[in-house]
Amino acid sequence: MTPMIRKLVFGFAGLALLVFSGISFYQSRRLKEPVVVSDGVTQVVRLSKYFSGVEGTANDCNMYILEGKEPGATFCILGGTHPEEPAGRLAAWIFAENAVLQKGRLIVVLSANRSATTVTRVGGAYPPEFSIPTSWGEQGFRMGDRWSNPLDQWPDPEVYIHYPSGQYLAYVDVRNLNRCWPGRPNGTLTERTTYAFMEMIRKEKVDIVIDLHEAELQYPVISTIVSHEKAQDLAAIVSMTLTDMEGFKMGMEFSPKNLHGLSHREIGDFSDAAGLLFEAPEPFLDATRGKTNTEQLLTGKDDFVVRAGQHGLLFEKIDANGWPIDKRVGRHTSAVLQTMVSWTEMHPDKPMVCDSIPRYADVVARGLGQYLRNPALAKPGRIWYE
Amino acid sequence: MDLTTYASLVLVVMVAAYAVAKFFKLSTEISMFIGALAGCVAGGFGISARHIAEGAMTYLDINLIFITATLFMNILKESGGVAFVVRGLFKRFHHRRAILLVLLTVILLVPGALTGAGSVTVLICGGMVATVLVSMGVPKVKTAAIVFIIAGLSAAAPPVSLWAMMTAAGVNMPYVGFFWPLMIPCLVAGIATMFILGWKGKPAETEEVLASLPAAPEGMNWFKIILPFVVFLGFIFLGRTWPHSTVVTGLPFMFLCSALVSYILSPLKLNFLRISRDTVNQLLPLLGTLTCVGILVQIMTLTGVRGLLAVTTVTLPVTIVFASLFIVLPLSEAVLMWGAAPVIGVPLVLLFNTLGLNPIVALAGMSIIWPLGDALPPTAIIGRLTVDVTGYKDSYAQFLKACIIPAIIMIMIGMLMVIYSKQLGFLTGL
Ligand SMILES: [Zn+2]
C-alpha cells in the first residue's frame, strides 16, 4: 500500500466511525422520554423556578407537583441522581404517572441530574438506551451514567474539593450529583443543580427528601436506607416494617457525619428537611458482571456475579433468578409508601397520604410496565418529556 | 451456551487476533485494536461504531495531560534548560560522586513523574545523563540499565502515575493518597539502582566530559528553569487553597501554561509549532496505545471478557495471586502496555479490597512492578528506546541481564507493599 492509499483508507474508516457513532450518540442524547402525568399532578414546574442559575442548561429538569385535597406534609422524591441506576428513575416515574394524593404534597423529580442521563460511561460499554415492555408497546429510556456529561461540565479539576466542608474527593466526583450537595450558586453545573434543589427544599418547606438509588452487590451499602440523624426513628420503623411485612430485607444505617456531599448528609444539615437514601441491588454495576447489555440490566441475571457471591465477595445474595427490574422498582415504591405511612403515624398533625401506587408484591406480580401510561392516549396538556 | 464458555471463546478470539496481528509485525496499538474488533464481532455485536468511539474516548483527559506535559518537557530541553542543569550539577559535584548520583536520579525521575511516561524521561534527559554516567566510568551496558530502570520508576512516580490512575478509575476509587506510597519506593529503588550499577568507575577528565555534553545557551539560568515549575505548582496551590473562587482549569491547561512560560523565557529562539508537532509525533504510538486500550477494554466489558478475568482473579487462592504478581504484572505490561492496569489491575484491586488490604498502598506497590514489563517483548518500547538513546551497541540480552538486580529490588519492594499494605496505610495520609 502506498502511504497515500493508506491515508485514504484510514481517513475513510475514521469518517465512517465518526458518522455512525455520531448518529448513535445524537439519538440517545435526544431520546424523548414521555411522562403521562397522573391526575394527581396539579403543577409541572422547572427547577430554574427556584434558582435561575440552571436556566437554559441540561439540568433544568421538570418537577411534578402533586397536591392532596387536605394539607399535610411535603415530600420530595428524587429519581435520576445516578441515571445508570434505572430502578430509581422508574420508581419515581410510577409516582409521577399514577400517584393521587389525599393529604399532603409530593414533588417528584425523574431526572435529578438530567445531564447524566444523556451520556453513557466511557469504557463501560453501556447500552445507549433500554426499554420496558407494557401492554401498549415498549417505552424507551436513556441509559445514562453516574456523572454529568462532560459536554455540559468540563474539564475536571486536579482534585475535587467539596463545598463548604473542604473535603478532598476524587476529581471525577465533581460531576457526581450525590457528592455535590448542598451546592453553591456560582459553582459548577452539578453544584448549581444541587443548590437549586436546596432552594426548592427550603422554599417549598419540604419535610422529607427521598433519594432513590441502586448499588453493585460488591458494595457494602446495599438494600438499605441511609438516614440523616433527624429521620433515624422514621427510617428504623420503615426498615423494620418492610422487612416484617413485605418479604424483602431492608437495612438501615446512619449517614456518616464526616462524609460530605451526599444527599442524606447535607440536605439535613442545610435545610429543615431530612434526607433519606434508598439503595436497591443492581448486578449491572458489578465489576465482575458478564455481558453488558439491556438483558443483564433488566433481569439482573449474571453467572459471574453469582460466582463472586459463592466466594463470599458480595453484600447481597444473588442466584440464577438474578435481580429483575420489577423487584428493584417494587422495593423502592414500597419503601417510599411505607415512609409516608410511618411518617403519618408519627406526625398525625402533618399527614402524608398517597393512593394508586403499587407496592412491591403488585409490581413483581404485574410488572412495572403495567404502571407506565400510554403517551398515545394522553389527554392534551397531560404529557411531558424528560 | 453458558456465560463462561461464551466469554472464554470471545477471549480466545481476541488473543488469537492480537497474536496474528503481532505476527504480521503490526504495532501493539493496532494489534490491540484488531483484537478488540475481532472480539466485538465474535461476541455477536458486529462492528459497533458507538462502542469503538466511546472506548476510544476513555483516556482522552490522560492523553491531553500526556501531550501538554511532554510539550513542556520538550521546550525545556530545546531551550537548553536540561543541558544547563546537567552541566551545572556535573561542574559543581563531579568530585562528590554520591551527591552527583543522587541528583542524576532526581533529574531522571522528574519528566516521567510529571507526564506519566517513562519514554519521555528517556527522550528528555536519558541521553545527557548517560553521557555523564559514561564519563564517570560506568560501563555502557550498566548506563543503559540505569536509564531504563529509573525511567520506569519515573513513570510510576507521582503526581502522574498512569497505572495507578487507570486502575483507580476502574474501581471507582479516588486517585487520592497515592503521593507518598508512590514517591518513597520510587526514590528508594531509583537511588539504590543508581548506586548499585553506577558506584564503581574511574571518572574521566572534567573538561572532556563538559565538551561531550550539549552546550547550555548563553543567558540560561536557574530562575528560568525553576519559574515554569513554580507556575505549575502555583496553579495547584491556588486551586487547593481557594478551591471555590479559582476557575477550574484542569491539569492539561496548567502544563500548557508552564510550557508557555518556559517558551517565553528561553534564551534561544524556539519554533513553538515545530516543537508541538514533534511532540505529537513523538507521542503518537503512546497516544495510540491509550486510545486502543480504551477500545479494547470497552469491548472486553461489552462481551463479558472483563468480567471473566475479574471473577477468575477474585476467586483464585490468595497465595497463588501474591506469588504470581512478579510474573503477571510485567508480562501484562509487555503485552498490553497501560492496558494492563484496567484489565489486570482492576480485578486485583477488587480482590485486595475484599481481603481487607489497603487498596492504595497495594496498587502503588503494583505500580512499581509494572514498568519492568517495558523491557520485555513483544513491545519492549522503552527498553529499545533506552538502548538507542544511550548509544549502547551490544546485545539486548546483556542489557536485560544488567537490569536484573534492580528489577529484583523493585519486585521485592512492590510485593512487600502489596502484602503489608494494611500496615503501610499511614503513608496515604488519609
Ligand atoms: Zn447511586
Side-chain angles (χ1 to χ4, degrees), chain A residues 294-310:
Chain A
T294 48
E295 192 198 330
Q296 206 279 10
L297 176 72
L298 298 178
T299 63
K301 289 183 187 172
D302 198 309
D303 294 350
F304 292 168
V305 181
V306 170
R307 207 193 298 171
Q310 287 160 352

Side-chain angles (χ1 to χ4, degrees), chain A residues 270-303:
Chain A
F270 287 86
S271 76
D272 293 333
L276 297 173
L277 186 147
F278 298 171
E279 293 277 11
E282 184 186 357
F284 183 83
L285 297 179
D286 273 86
T288 50
R289 72 170 178 266
K291 242 176 167 175
T292 305
N293 56 14
T294 48
E295 192 198 330
Q296 206 279 10
L297 176 72
L298 298 178
T299 63
K301 289 183 187 172
D302 198 309
D303 294 350

